[in-house]
């Protein structure tokens, strides 16, 4: 997606520290990337997570959801 002009990315993850390798890959591809805390098992928190992401990004053009662990290196 970054190569196709996606330049700002927010990753919602259980532990933002776990996203460091993914953030580094995104940044090396030219994206501004941040990680925020997201617990898919806590539906009551989802609106707040989206509000946080919107606060970082402004308008949100796309949401991609994958309920799995980030690739481990």
């Amino acid at each position: 997606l970054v190569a196709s002009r996606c330049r700002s990315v927010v990753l919602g993850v259980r532990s933002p520290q776990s996203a460091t390798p993914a953030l580094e890959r995104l940044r090396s591809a030219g994206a501004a990337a941040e990680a925020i805390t997201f617990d898919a098992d806590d539906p009551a928190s989802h609106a707040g997570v989206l509000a946080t992401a919107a606060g970082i990004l402004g308008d949100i053009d796309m949401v991609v959801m994958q309920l799995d662990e980030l690739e481990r290196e």
Side-chain angles (χ1 to χ4, degrees):
L1 290 174
V2 173
S4 299
R5 300 177 15 166
C6 176
R7 296 292 178 220
S8 299
V9 177
V10 173
L11 299 178
V13 295
R14 285 190 179 140
S15 171
Q17 297 80 12
S18 70
T20 300
L23 292 171
E24 289 173 355
R25 287 192 301 274
L26 288 163
R27 290 173 182 149
S28 70
E34 294 190 44
I36 60 174
T37 302
F38 171 65
D39 183 356
D41 292 329
D42 181 13
S45 71
H46 294 184
V49 171
L50 287 173
T52 299
I56 294 167
L57 297 170
D59 291 337
I60 296 176
D61 295 322
M62 179 188 313
V63 174
V64 177
M65 189 167 189
Q66 178 181 343
L67 301 177
D68 197 356
E69 291 189 35
L70 292 172
E71 176 184 330
R72 303 277 182 202
E73 293 190 32

